[in-house]
C-alpha cells in the first residue's frame, strides 16, 4: 500500500494510504479527544469532538473519519479547534447529571476527563433535561440513560462485535435515546449480559452492578486474564482492590472477539472470594441458579457421576 506524507502541528508524518487523520496524529504522539470513535467499529463520526483544522478546508474536520492525504496540513489544537471542543463539551453537560461525586464512573469518565482538560466547569446552555428512570432490571448491568451521551459505541459493539443488535437509537431529536426494541427494560430484551457494551461506554450510562459501591477507579488495579472455557480466548479484567479480586469485567474490545456471560461468571467463581450470585433468565425472568447450571456443567457432572458409579 502506498504511503502519504502530511504535516501535523508542524511535524512531517508518513502513514499508509487510508489511515485516518486521528490515527496519523496519535501515532505521531499528538492528543486528539474522541467520544464516539471505536477502533472495532470505526468511521461513525457522530460526536465531532475529534475535530481538527485542515488547511484549506471550509470547516473543521472530524479526524476519526477523514483520511490523511498527501500534503495535508493539520492543526490539532488551534484556537478554533479548542473552541469547538469546549462548545461540544458544554452542550453535552447541558443535559448531563452533575453527580460526579457519587457516579460509579468518577475518575474513569471520558467526559469528565475532557471537561477537566479543556477547563469546562459548567454548561452555558440552559434547557430541558432528561429524567429517565434508571434501569437496573438486569442482574449484571445498570443503565442510566440520563448519563448517556449518544456516542453509539454500545449500539455498534452489540451489533458489529457481538453480532446481536439488542439495543439501538430510538426516537428523534431531544428524545433520542439508546433502547432495546420497543423501549423495554434490559431484562425484557434479548440481552445476554456479555458486558461488552459496558466495556465501551465512555461515561456512567452503563456500569456493572457487581462493581457498584466497591471502589473508585484509582483504588482498583486491573489484571488481564484469558478465559479458558472455550477456545475463543476472550479477554477479561480482574479488578483488584487491596490485593483482592472484587469483580470480573469485560475487557475493552481490541481483538474483536465476542464475550459471554458464562466466561465472566466462571472467572468470578475462580478468582473472586465473594462472587456474584449467578442469575439466568427462565421463562422471561431472571432467577438465581446453581453454579453448575450457570456454567453449563450439568452434563459434565452427570457423566462424572455415571463413571464413578
Ligand atoms: Fe470523531 Fe466522535 S470521535 S466524531
Amino acid at each position: 500500500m502506498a504511503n502519504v506524507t502530511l504535516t501535523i502541528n508542524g511535524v512531517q508524518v508518513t502513514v499508509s494510504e487510508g489511515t485516518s487523520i486521528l490515527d496519523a496524529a496519535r501515532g505521531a504522539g499528538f492528543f486528539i479527544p474522541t467520544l464516539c470513535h471505536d477502533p472495532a467499529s470505526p468511521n461513525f463520526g457522530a460526536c465531532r469532538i475529534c475535530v481538527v483544522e485542515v488547511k484549506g478546508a471550509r470547516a473543521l474536520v472530524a479526524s476519526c473519519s477523514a483520511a490523511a492525504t498527501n500534503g495535508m496540513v493539520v492543526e490539532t489544537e488551534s484556537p478554533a479547534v479548542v473552541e469547538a471542543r469546549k462548545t461540544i463539551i458544554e452542550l453535552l453537560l447541558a443535559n448531563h447529571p452533575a453527580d460526579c461525586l457519587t457516579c460509579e464512573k468518577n475518575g474513569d469518565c471520558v467526559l469528565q476527563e475532557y471537561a477537566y482538560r479543556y477547563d469546562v466547569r459548567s454548561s452555558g446552555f440552559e434547557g430541558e433535561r432528561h429524567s429517565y428512570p434508571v434501569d437496573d432490571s438486569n442482574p449484571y448491568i445498570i443503565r442510566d440513560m440520563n448519563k448517556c451521551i449518544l456516542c453509539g459505541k454500545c449500539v455498534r459493539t452489540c451489533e458489529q462485535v457481538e453480532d446481536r443488535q439488542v439495543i439501538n437509537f430510538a426516537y428523534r431529536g431531544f428524545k433520542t435515546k439508546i433502547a432495546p426494541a420497543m423501549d423495554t427494560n434490559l431484562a425484557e430484551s434479548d440481552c445476554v449480559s456479555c458486558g461488552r457494551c459496558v466495556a465501551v461506554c465512555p461515561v456512567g450510562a452503563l456500569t456493572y452492578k457487581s462493581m457498584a459501591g466497591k471502589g473508585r477507579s484509582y483504588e482498583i488495579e486491573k489484571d488481564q486474564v484469558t478465559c479458558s472455557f472455550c477456545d475463543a480466548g476472550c479477554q477479561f479484567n480482574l479488578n483488584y482492590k487491596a490485593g483482592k479480586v472484587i469483580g470480573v469485567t469485560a475487557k475493552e474490545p481490541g481483538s474483536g472477539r465476542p464475550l459471554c456471560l458464562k466466561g465472566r461468571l466462571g472467572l468470578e467463581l475462580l478468582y473472586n472470594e465473594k462472587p456474584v450470585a449467578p442469575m439466568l433468565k427462565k421463562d422471561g425472568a431472571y432467577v438465581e441458579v446453581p453454579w453448575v447450571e450457570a456454567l453449563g456443567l450439568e452434563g459434565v457432572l452427570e457423566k462424572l457421576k455415571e463413571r464413578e458409579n
Side-chain angles (χ1 to χ4, degrees):
M1 191 181 279
N3 285 341
V4 295
T5 298
L6 66 163
T7 305
I8 305 177
N9 299 338
V11 176
Q12 286 223 324
V13 178
T14 300
V15 291
S16 54
E17 205 172 30
T19 303
S20 68
I21 300 173
L22 175 72
D23 287 344
R26 285 184 170 175
F30 296 112
F31 170 81
I32 294 181
T34 55
L35 286 169
C36 71
H37 176 67
D38 182 346
S41 55
N43 297 324
F44 193 56
C47 74
R48 318 307 280 184
I49 202 157
C50 67
V51 288
V52 293
E53 201 163 345
V54 175
K55 196 173 177 187
R58 284 190 304 171
L60 297 177
V61 173
S63 63
C64 70
S65 42
T69 56
N70 244 338
M72 195 178 239
V73 179
V74 176
E75 290 289 331
T76 62
E77 288 273 338
S78 69
V81 166
V82 170
E83 193 54 38
R85 288 181 189 159
K86 281 180 174 237
T87 304
I88 290 166
I89 296 166
E90 281 190 36
L91 284 165
L92 289 170
L93 293 180
N95 187 24
H96 193 89
D99 66 344
C100 297
L101 288 176
T102 51
C103 181
E104 279 298 324
K105 199 79 173 182
N106 186 20
D108 194 25
C109 170
V110 181
L111 181 59
Q112 185 187 56
E113 182 193 326
Y114 295 163
Y116 180 77
R117 182 181 182 104
Y118 290 103
D119 194 26
V120 180
R121 291 157 191 260
S122 60
S123 176
F125 300 97
E126 294 293 330
E128 205 181 336
R129 283 174 166 264
H130 294 305
S131 180
Y132 299 121
V134 174
D135 177 7
D136 71 345
S137 60
N138 180 292
Y140 305 101
I141 298 167
I142 300 174
R143 291 175 77 238
D144 184 350
M145 288 300 99
N146 300 299
K147 295 179 182 172
C148 176
I149 57 169
L150 297 174
C151 68
K153 286 171 82 171
C154 56
V155 173
R156 284 176 285 143
T157 203
C158 188
E159 180 188 350
Q160 296 174 24
V161 181
E162 276 302 310
D163 199 14
R164 293 200 65 83
Q165 296 180 299
V166 172
I167 46 175
N168 210 331
F169 288 88
Y171 308 106
R172 290 287 180 272
F174 177 72
K175 291 183 177 162
T176 305
K177 68 189 272 204
I178 308 296
M182 308 307 289
D183 198 5
T184 60
N185 62 33
L186 209 52
E188 290 174 52
S189 74
D190 291 335
C191 173
V192 293
S193 309
C194 68
R196 181 75 93 172
C197 57
V198 184
V200 296
C201 180
V203 292
L206 296 167
T207 50
Y208 283 105
K209 198 176 265 186
S210 61
M211 297 289 288
K214 288 198 178 159
R216 289 301 190 190
S217 59
Y218 50 81
E219 299 173 301
I220 295 172
E221 282 176 35
K222 291 186 194 294
D223 201 6
Q224 197 173 304
V225 65
T226 303
C227 175
S228 53
F229 256 86
C230 71
D231 60 1
C234 297
Q235 306 278 294
F236 290 85
N237 283 323
L238 299 179
N239 294 267
Y240 289 87
K241 186 179 171 190
K244 286 193 173 156
V245 173
I246 57 166
V248 179
T249 53
K251 191 180 175 301
E252 194 163 335
S255 59
R257 292 191 186 112
L259 300 167
C260 72
L261 176 63
K262 195 195 287 183
R264 201 168 78 242
L265 286 176
L267 293 170
E268 278 270 353
L269 186 62
L270 263 181
Y271 293 98
N272 194 347
E273 274 181 28
K274 295 177 185 165
V276 294
M279 307 271 284
L280 291 184
K281 213 183 218 181
K282 289 190 174 180
D283 300 324
Y286 279 100
V287 289
E288 195 171 331
V289 294
W291 277 101
V292 278
E293 187 179 341
L295 302 179
L297 297 175
E298 304 108 305
V300 178
L301 213 62
E302 269 171 34
K303 275 276 172 236
L304 283 172
K305 277 181 190 162
E306 269 174 34
R307 294 199 173 200
E308 278 169 9
N309 293 332

